[in-house]
Amino acid sequence: MPTPMPVRRAALQATAAAAWLALAGCASLHDEPPAAPVATPVEVVPELEIVPAPAAPPPRAAPRPAPRPRVPAQRDVVVLFQEGIAGYSEIAARIAEQLPTARYRTAFVAIHAPDSPDLLAPLVALRPAAVVAVGREAAEFARDHLVGTPLVFCQVFNYQEFLGDGKPVWGVSPMPPVALQLRGWTSVDPSRRRIGLIVSDEHSTLIDDVRAAAGSAVEIKHEVSSSDRETLYLFKRLASQVDGFWLVPDNRILSPNVLHELLSYAAGHGVGVLVFNDALLSWGALMSATSTPADVARGVNAVLDRIAAGTTKELPPLTPLTEIKLQVNGDVASRLGVGGAPEASWVIREPD
């Protein structure tokens, strides 16, 4: 039977309403707020204190190289020596040998013709920083021709005229120490009690030096002479009063002829004579006391170093020696009854 129209309409409306409600239900589900998420625990890391790194030090400057030691310039030194005099050339050679080559240039000049142009011209042109003179003739040459140049002389007994007046001139003693000479003499002849000594007036102070060195053990009998002939006369007068005689190298009161006669007289009268040159042993002397080339050279070079350093204010006019060479004439020693004398020469030094 056919469904009545009002019923069909009502059914369609119900179906539509159900469909709408279904759609509405879906819509209402999407509009609900989402469930809150479950919180995950977070590990709390404590804050670290950030310390700034230390500032880098400023770059260090490269060290400066150490300054090189100042090398003094070489100084020209002329060594003049008297040609033909025994020992002078050896002393000149020792002086040059001891001078440091890094500081000194040495030129040797043998004095044979002092006024010749071939000798003077090169020396004047060289303009040396200092001159060394070995022997009197060399010292006179330097004084006369190299005026104003510092001068160091040696082997000059009568030296007084070269010194003074503020001149740049210094010397090395021409004699070994008096005390060393007496010590060596006593070692050979300890019985000696009275010594004769003759000097010129210019060297009268030597008497006090000898007395001081001899002390009370030895008596010094002395005279002052003004010429070689007077020296011979005084010697003969003293010979009978002494058992030893001391000759000094003073050419003002000695000459070769007088020396020959004096030593011959001494040998004939039993007087032992101490002389200043080995060559005089063959003339009849008992003993010689001489300086050594090495010691003279040390004295000269010490003065040159003071000149180079500019420290001459306190430099003495004469630099003393420090050693002595002794030699005995064996034949004369035997005749005089002096026993135990060494056959060879020997050296003694201060402060030995």
Side-chain angles (χ1 to χ4, degrees), residues 56-64:
R60 300 176 65 179
R64 294 183 179 180

Side-chain angles (χ1 to χ4, degrees), residues 97-227:
E97 178 183 302
Q98 291 185 17
L99 285 175
T101 56
R103 295 172 55 192
Y104 297 97
R105 283 190 300 263
T106 308
F108 290 94
V109 178
I111 301 297
H112 56 281
D115 296 321
S116 63
D118 64 324
L119 179 62
L120 283 174
L123 288 179
V124 173
L126 182 61
R127 300 178 65 184
V131 178
V132 174
V134 183
R136 182 176 185 82
E137 187 178 13
E140 290 175 344
F141 174 87
R143 177 194 61 190
D144 296 341
H145 299 289
L146 296 168
V147 179
T149 302
L151 169 63
V152 185
F153 64 81
C154 59
Q155 306 304 97
V156 180
F157 187 76
N158 291 307
Y159 57 82
Q160 291 86 348
E161 66 183 88
F162 296 103
L163 302 174
D165 300 330
K167 294 179 289 189
V169 179
W170 299 269
V172 172
S173 177
M175 291 176 57
V178 168
L180 289 184
Q181 296 190 55
L182 281 172
R183 189 195 308 174
W185 198 357
T186 300
S187 70
V188 171
D189 187 8
S191 65
R192 180 184 37 74
R193 290 293 179 266
R194 297 179 306 276
I195 292 177
L197 174 66
I198 299 174
V199 297
S200 62
D201 186 61
E202 289 80 3
H203 293 282
S204 57
T205 57
L206 189 58
I207 297 169
D208 294 333
D209 295 340
V210 173
R211 280 179 169 165
S216 58
V218 178
E219 180 185 1
I220 305 299
K221 301 182 75 67
H222 70 275
E223 295 286 354
V224 176
S225 173
S226 59
S227 69

